[in-house]
Amino acid sequence: MTGSVPNDIAGRLQRGRDRMFTGRAAELAVFRAALTGDEGAPAVLFVHGPGGIGKSMLLRRFAAEARAMGRPVLDIDGRTVQPTPEAFEREAGAAFAEDGTVLIIDTFERCQGLEGWLREKFLPRLPHGGVAVIAGRQAPDAEWTSDPGWADLLYRMALRNLSPDEATALLHAWGVPRHSQAPLLAFTGGHPLALALAAAVAVREPVGTTQWKPSMDVVATLLSRLVGEVPSPLHRRALEVCARVHMTTETLLRVVLGDDATVMFAWLRELPFIESTQDGLFPHDVVRQALEEDLRWRDPDGYAELHGRLGRHLFEQIRTSPVTGTLSAVRSFLFLYRDDRYMSDFNSWREAGQVRLTACEADDRDRIRALAGEVEGEESAALAGAWLERGPEAFRVCRTTRENKAVGFSVWLQLTEAPQSFHDPVAEAAWNHARATQPLREGEHIAVARFSVTSPEYPKISPVENLHQWRTLAEAARTEGRVAWMYVVVRAGTFWTPYMASLGLHPIAERPRVGDLTYTLFAIDWRVQPVWAWAEEKTRLMLSHVRDGSRTVQAGGEEVRRGTEFTVLSRPEFDAALRDALRSFFRPREWSANPLTRSRLTAGTNRALPQILTDAVEGLRTEPGGEKYYKAVSRTYLTKGMPTQQSVAERLGLPFSTYRRHLAEGIARVCDALWRQEIYGDPAPTDRPHPAV
C-alpha cells in the first residue's frame, strides 16, 4: 500500500499539469517532428524566454510525450549541475547509452558558460535518433547560426506570452469566473506565471472591478521569478526608468543616471525580458507592470520624483525636437500618463508604428478630397479643398508604414481673423467664440484642429486617430505663447466628451453644421493655463493617489502647482498694471493686488515681479540711445529717496519737459519688452519660425 502512494501522487501531479497546459501548438509540432525524425526536422531545440514564460512546463510536456512514444528521457536541471564539462558529463553521460534518447536541459542560464563546449564537444556525440532540448533565459549565441553545420540541426524556439484565447482558456482551467477574467488578462498580458498567480488570487478573492491591481505578494513573486537579483541600486533605477517610459534610449537614461547611462543601457539590452526595437528598449508588459507597482508601493516619493523628471524632459522634447521627432516625443510623454483611465482608453501606443504623419504633397490633394468626401460628405470635401488652396502647409497626411497608403489627414489652422474668402461654419464658430469670450491680443492667434479625417476602415480609437490627437498637442506646445484659444473639432461629440474633459477641453455652445453633419468644438484658452502648466496639472492628478492626495508633489525637484491658471490681460490693462507696479516698487504689500502677479509674465516663471521690472529697466541700457531712458525710469521708480519727479529732473540736470519725455519713452519701451515676454515667453523680440509638425 505504501509503495502505491508515490505513483498515485505522481499521476495526480501530471494530470493537474496537463489540465493547466494550454497553447504552444506550434512548439509541440516542432518537437513531435524531431521525435519522428522527419526530413529536415531539427535534432536540437533551443527554447529561450524570460522567467515565468512557461519553459519548464513546456519541457515537462515534451518529456511526457517522448515517454508516451517509448523514448528514453534524461532530465538535467541546470540549478543542480556544477557548470564544468566534467560535472555535466557525469550528469548527462547516460544520454549516450541508448539510441533515441531525449536529453532535456532546463534552467540552462545557470550553466551558460558551457554553451560552446556543449555545441562543439557534447551534442555531436549523441547517438542515432537522439534529440536534445535546451531551455534557458538567454537566446543561443551567434555561433550556432553562423556555423553552417548547425543550420539544419538547431531550432531556435523563442517563447512568447499566450494569445488572448490561450490565456482565457488557462484562466478558465483555474476556475476564474468569466466576469473576473478581463482585468486579469489586462494586467498579465498573457504571461503564464502572472496568469497563474493572478488566477490563484482571483479564485480566493473574486475580482469585482475592471481596475484590479495585483497584491504586493503577487508583485514580489513576479519580480523574484522574472527579474531575479539586481546587482545594485543603480541597476534597479535603470529598470525603473525602463518600466516607466515607452521606449528607453541611452539619451533618456542619461537624464536620470548621468554618466552611468552607457553602462546601464548595455546591461538592459542583454536582459531576457527586455526587447530591442529601432526606437529603443522596452520590457515585457508584465515586467513593466510589476516594476511599476513595486516602486509605487515601496517608494511613492521616488516614483513621483522619477515621473516628474522624465515628464519635464519629454515635454521639453516636444517643444524643441526637429519636426520629424515631435510626434514620437508626444507619444512618449503621454505614455507616462497611461494609468489615467481616459488616456489609456483613447490612446493605443502598441500600434503606433503602423502609420506615420507626413507633409502634404501635390499628389495628395485628390486623395484628401476623396477621404473627406467619403468620411464627411461632399460639402466637407469642398471645404477641405478650399483650405488646401489657401494653405497646404496646414495639412498633414497619415500614411501606412508598409504600403505608404494615405489613410487619413489632419489640418491645423492658425487664424488671426475670420475666414474671408469662403464660408466655413466650423472655423467661423471658433472665431466667434474667441471674440465673444476673450478676444485675441496683438501677436496671438487661435488654433483650430479643423479636420481629423480617418479612413472608415479604422475604428474610432486607432493609430491614425492617435496621430491626429498627438499632432494637436505638439502644435500647441511648439507655438506656446502665440496661441490663445485652441479648438478641437470632432463629429462624434458625445463619444469624445469624457476624454476631452479629462484633458481640460470643454465644448462650446454653438454646434455648426456642414452638409448632414453637426460638429462639436472643444476649446481651451492656453493663456489661462499654458501647455506646460497643463502638463504639471496632469502630473499632479496622476500622482495624487500615490501621495495620498497631498496638495503638492515634488516633480523633478520643483513643486508642481495645483491648478495653475493665469489672468489674461489686454494690452491697455497690461500697461496700466505695469505702471502701477513701478509706482509701488518699494511697497511690497501692494504687489499681491497687481494683476501682473497672476499673468504669464510672473506666474509662469520663478522670478518675482520686482526682479522682472529691474531686469527690464536694466535692459534699456543695451538699446541704442537707451541710457537716457534708463536713467529717467530707474531714478524715478527704482531708487529710494526721490520724492518728486521735479527732484529727479534736477538730479539728472534735465529740463523738466525733457525728463518727462525720456520717462514716457522709457516706460513705453519697458512695456513693449515685457509685453513680448507675456505673449511669446521670450525676454527679447523674436521672429523665430514655429514649423508645423
Side-chain angles (χ1 to χ4, degrees):
M1 186 71 179
T2 304
S4 66
V5 174
N7 291 332
D8 183 55
I9 292 177
R12 292 173 61 187
L13 185 63
Q14 185 61 46
R15 288 192 295 273
R17 287 170 173 169
D18 289 344
R19 188 174 67 253
M20 294 301 173
F21 186 89
T22 184
R24 308 305 188 198
E27 290 83 357
L28 286 169
V30 172
F31 179 69
R32 289 163 184 162
L35 290 181
T36 56
D38 292 346
E39 184 177 355
V44 177
L45 279 62
F46 204 121
V47 183
H48 63 94
I53 201 67
K55 299 185 295 295
S56 295
M57 180 168 278
L58 180 63
L59 262 58
R60 283 194 291 267
R61 186 59 173 258
F62 284 171
E65 294 216 359
R67 290 188 177 101
M69 293 180 63
R71 302 286 287 269
V73 176
L74 178 61
D75 289 306
I76 303 295
D77 190 335
R79 292 171 295 185
T80 62
V81 178
Q82 290 295 320
T84 65
E86 296 77 18
F88 193 92
E89 185 91 34
R90 285 195 299 271
E91 292 287 334
F96 306 125
E98 190 175 352
D99 286 351
T101 296
V102 177
L103 173 64
I104 294 180
I105 308 169
D106 199 3
T107 327
F108 186 63
E109 67 271 11
R110 294 296 182 91
C111 45
Q112 199 80 34
L114 296 177
E115 188 170 358
W117 172 81
L118 201 71
R119 179 178 59 248
E120 300 296 335
K121 302 295 185 181
F122 186 87
L123 292 176
R125 295 158 48 204
L126 287 179
H128 176 73
V131 175
V133 181
I134 307 167
R137 295 191 176 191
Q138 305 297 329
D141 66 35
E143 295 297 324
W144 295 91
T145 53
S146 63
D147 185 338
W150 281 105
D152 295 330
L153 293 174
L154 177 79
Y155 185 88
R156 176 174 168 169
M157 186 177 287
L159 286 194
R160 303 296 183 185
N161 287 352
L162 299 175
S163 71
D165 288 344
E166 292 167 346
T168 301
L170 182 59
L171 291 179
H172 181 73
W174 270 95
V176 177
R178 186 177 299 275
H179 68 272
S180 298
Q181 293 176 2
L184 271 62
L185 291 171
F187 168 73
T188 62
H191 188 278
L193 174 61
L195 279 165
L197 292 173
V201 173
V203 170
R204 296 194 309 268
E205 306 166 10
V207 177
T209 172
T210 58
Q211 300 300 311
W212 176 84
K213 295 289 185 182
S215 69
M216 295 318 301
D217 289 340
V218 170
V219 169
T221 302
L222 286 173
L223 289 177
S224 174
R225 294 282 299 277
L226 275 59
V227 177
E229 290 293 326
V230 178
S232 73
L234 182 65
H235 291 78
R236 169 70 65 176
R237 198 58 166 169
L239 277 173
E240 290 165 353
V241 173
C242 194
R244 190 79 201 106
V245 299
H246 183 243
M247 290 288 176
T248 298
T249 62
E250 191 173 313
T251 301
L252 188 61
L253 271 183
R254 194 171 293 114
V255 174
V256 178
L257 304 182
D259 294 339
D260 294 312
T262 300
V263 174
M264 290 298 98
F265 186 82
W267 174 73
L268 284 172
R269 73 190 306 179
E270 295 299 323
L271 296 176
F273 52 82
I274 298 291
E275 298 281 351
S276 298
T277 72
Q278 63 180 4
D279 295 325
L281 309 176
F282 70 94
H284 289 191
D285 288 346
V286 72
V287 176
R288 187 195 294 277
Q289 288 276 70
L291 286 167
E292 287 263 88
E293 293 295 334
D294 177 67
L295 179 60
R296 264 196 293 253
W297 169 77
R298 175 173 48 82
D299 185 9
D301 288 353
Y303 179 89
E305 188 275 335
L306 177 63
H307 175 93
R309 186 180 299 187
L310 292 170
R312 289 178 181 277
H313 169 76
L314 291 172
F315 183 73
E316 190 61 25
Q317 292 298 301
I318 298 173
R319 301 171 67 175
T320 60
S321 291
V323 172
T324 54
T326 308
L327 290 186
S328 176
V330 173
R331 177 186 65 192
S332 298
F333 175 77
L334 293 181
F335 187 78
L336 291 178
Y337 300 89
R338 61 192 179 277
D339 292 333
D340 177 280
R341 171 190 169 189
Y342 295 113
M343 194 68 74
S344 60
D345 285 350
F346 286 83
N347 287 274
S348 176
W349 293 276
R350 189 181 298 275
E351 302 169 334
Q354 296 179 5
V355 291
R356 58 194 177 92
L357 215 56
T358 65
C360 175
E361 306 291 345
D363 293 343
D364 294 321
R365 298 192 174 196
D366 289 342
R367 177 59 176 163
I368 286 173
R369 293 186 180 93
L371 274 171
E374 182 180 10
V375 176
E376 298 191 1
E378 290 307 314
E379 295 87 348
S380 188
L383 286 175
W387 285 113
L388 263 174
E389 294 300 321
R390 177 168 171 167
E393 68 279 357
F395 285 69
R396 290 292 178 271
V397 179
C398 188
R399 305 179 191 279
T400 57
T401 303
R402 286 189 177 182
E403 301 87 359
N404 202 37
K405 176 184 177 183
V407 292
F409 70 91
S410 64
V411 182
W412 179 261
L413 304 178
Q414 300 182 49
L415 304 178
T416 56
E417 61 180 7
Q420 302 292 331
S421 55
F422 55 89
H423 172 56
D424 182 352
V426 174
E428 290 167 4
W431 181 261
N432 292 337
H433 175 266
R435 184 179 59 182
T437 310
Q438 189 62 257
L440 299 185
R441 302 175 296 182
E442 180 186 355
E444 295 178 339
H445 64 263
I446 70 168
V448 185
R450 173 61 183 89
F451 291 93
S452 295
V453 173
T454 301
S455 171
E457 65 190 85
Y458 288 89
K460 289 180 181 178
I461 305 300
S462 70
V464 182
E465 185 60 42
N466 287 160
L467 286 189
H468 298 331
Q469 297 172 29
W470 297 349
R471 182 194 178 191
T472 297
L473 177 57
E475 296 278 16
R478 293 180 69 91
T479 57
E480 185 179 14
R482 298 195 305 166
V483 62
W485 286 97
M486 183 184 80
Y487 300 88
V488 177
V489 181
V490 301
R491 298 185 303 279
T494 302
F495 176 81
W496 290 103
T497 293
Y499 179 56
M500 293 296 174
S502 75
L503 298 177
L505 283 79
H506 301 286
I508 68 173
E510 185 175 356
R511 300 287 194 272
R513 287 183 62 84
V514 175
D516 296 330
L517 296 179
T518 300
Y519 294 84
T520 300
L521 279 69
F522 291 92
I524 188 170
D525 188 345
W526 289 124
R527 299 166 299 184
V528 174
Q529 187 186 46
V531 185
W532 65 263
W534 169 88
E536 289 190 336
E537 179 70 359
K538 290 293 293 179
T539 293
R540 185 196 65 76
L541 291 173
M542 194 205 75
L543 295 177
S544 60
H545 70 283
V546 178
R547 299 292 299 272
D548 296 325
S550 58
R551 184 166 181 80
T552 59
V553 297
Q554 294 297 318
E558 299 180 27
E559 184 181 83
V560 177
R561 292 171 289 277
R562 177 187 287 272
T564 304
E565 292 190 354
F566 297 157
T567 296
V568 181
L569 300 173
S570 66
R571 180 62 190 267
E573 292 170 335
F574 183 89
D575 288 354
L578 186 52
R579 287 184 168 85
D580 286 343
L582 286 169
R583 286 192 288 268
S584 62
F585 190 84
F586 293 107
R587 300 192 295 274
R589 292 183 179 180
E590 298 180 20
W591 296 343
S592 62
N594 193 300
L596 290 181
T597 61
R598 298 180 296 281
S599 71
R600 287 169 54 88
L601 182 67
T602 54
T605 70
N606 292 321
R607 298 188 300 159
L609 181 56
Q611 185 61 54
I612 292 173
L613 295 176
T614 300
D615 291 345
V617 173
E618 284 287 339
L620 293 173
R621 309 180 75 172
T622 65
E623 299 181 11
E627 185 68 26
K628 57 190 176 186
Y629 306 129
Y630 163 75
K631 289 180 179 179
V633 178
S634 63
R635 295 288 179 84
T636 303
Y637 296 115
L638 308 187
T639 305
K640 286 187 176 182
M642 292 292 174
T644 65
Q645 292 188 1
Q646 286 83 356
S647 63
V648 176
E650 291 174 4
R651 182 71 62 89
L652 293 174
L654 295 174
F656 188 66
S657 61
T658 302
Y659 156 76
R660 289 295 301 270
R661 190 168 62 253
H662 290 177
L663 180 62
E665 178 63 20
I667 292 174
R669 292 188 179 204
V670 170
C671 287
D672 286 344
L674 294 181
W675 179 252
R676 284 192 295 268
Q677 292 188 45
E678 168 75 5
I679 297 299
Y680 298 107
D682 290 326
T686 176
D687 293 319
R688 292 197 312 268
H690 291 261
V693 178

